[in-house]
Amino acid sequence: MKEMVLSLLEWIVGLGHLGIALGLMVEVIPSELVLSYAGYLISQGHLSFAGSVIAGTIGGTIAQLFLYWMGYYGGRPFLEKYGKYILISQKQIDLSESWFEKYGNGVIFFARFIPVVRHAISIPAGIAKMSFSKFTIYTLLAIIPWSILFIYLGSQLGSNWEDIKTIAAPFTRGIAIGAIVILFIVIIFKVRKGKK
């Protein structure tokens, strides 16, 4: 299985910056691996850092827009029936919908850093008919630092890029905790403001 994933990854990113964008759009392989492998190729002089970040941002954003549109036009029944084909489980839909209802539009940014809801959060935004421009801005603001982090780590790891999950764990855990704390503070602020 590892060999198959590695071969697919090499083929995708072998397409250059376009491959990075495609890899994040389709997300058959986790974005962390695609981006860190791109970082490795940067360290070998095959890709540019800026081009890789732009490609990662475009691909990651398009993938989320696709999920947003599925929610917007297909609604929950469509996703319950076909979500499994794009690796979105019922649990992810339920959790992300609950988060979106509870925390509002701002969750689109913060949830991008939290496992399980990270990808599925676009779906309830579409179902709720969230403003397209607001959704896109929040998504971009989250995907840019995500892309930069994993491409940078991959470039620093060089040929050890496959260790990205272990190396990135303290960063991603810290980012997820920070996102949850900030989200909690925003909620408290909104509740207090609502009482006034």
Side-chain angles (χ1 to χ4, degrees), residues 25 61-72 78-79 86 122-123 135:
M25 270 189 265
T61 303
I62 290 173
Q64 296 310 309
L65 291 175
F66 177 68
L67 294 173
Y68 170 86
W69 288 323
M70 284 178 69
Y72 194 95
F78 177 82
L79 289 155
I86 55 167
S122 302
I123 295 167
F135 173 83

Side-chain angles (χ1 to χ4, degrees), residues 93-115:
I93 295 170
D94 292 341
L95 186 60
S96 60
E97 196 166 47
S98 162
W99 276 49
F100 189 80
E101 287 171 7
K102 196 183 284 186
Y103 307 126
N105 293 344
V107 78
I108 296 301
F109 174 79
F110 295 108
R112 297 274 177 235
F113 306 104
I114 301 168

Side-chain angles (χ1 to χ4, degrees), residues 30-196:
S31 62
E32 301 91 318
L33 291 179
V34 174
L35 294 169
S36 60
Y37 187 67
Y40 162 67
L41 291 179
I42 290 167
S43 75
Q44 301 298 303
H46 299 296
L47 295 172
S48 73
F49 189 87
S52 298
V53 170
I54 291 167
T57 302
I58 290 170
T61 303
I62 290 173
Q64 296 310 309
L65 291 175
F66 177 68
L67 294 173
Y68 170 86
W69 288 323
M70 284 178 69
Y72 194 95
Y73 294 110
R76 189 176 176 99
F78 177 82
L79 289 155
E80 286 174 349
K81 189 171 183 179
Y82 299 107
K84 62 185 172 204
Y85 298 111
I86 55 167
L87 307 177
I88 301 286
S89 69
Q90 182 68 44
K91 179 185 174 190
Q92 288 173 307
I93 295 170
D94 292 341
L95 186 60
S96 60
E97 196 166 47
S98 162
W99 276 49
F100 189 80
E101 287 171 7
K102 196 183 284 186
Y103 307 126
N105 293 344
V107 78
I108 296 301
F109 174 79
F110 295 108
R112 297 274 177 235
F113 306 104
I114 301 168
V116 183
V117 293
R118 184 167 75 213
H119 300 295
I121 197 66
S122 302
I123 295 167
I127 292 170
K129 311 286 193 242
M130 178 182 177
S131 157
F132 178 76
S133 57
K134 214 179 232 185
F135 173 83
T136 305
I137 290 167
Y138 286 154
T139 299
L140 279 168
L141 289 174
I143 288 177
I144 291 169
W146 187 261
S147 296
I148 290 171
L149 172 67
F150 282 96
I151 291 170
Y152 173 76
L153 290 175
S155 69
Q156 296 304 301
L157 288 170
S159 60
N160 296 317
W161 69 271
E162 288 182 63
D163 298 333
I164 193 66
K165 292 243 181 196
T166 308
I167 301 299
F171 294 102
T172 54
R173 198 175 308 118
I175 291 169
I177 291 168
I180 291 169
V181 167
I182 292 169
L183 187 60
F184 185 69
I185 291 168
V186 168
I187 292 163
I188 290 172
F189 180 74
K190 278 188 173 184
V191 168
R192 283 187 166 178
K193 194 175 179 183
K195 285 181 181 178
K196 289 178 183 177

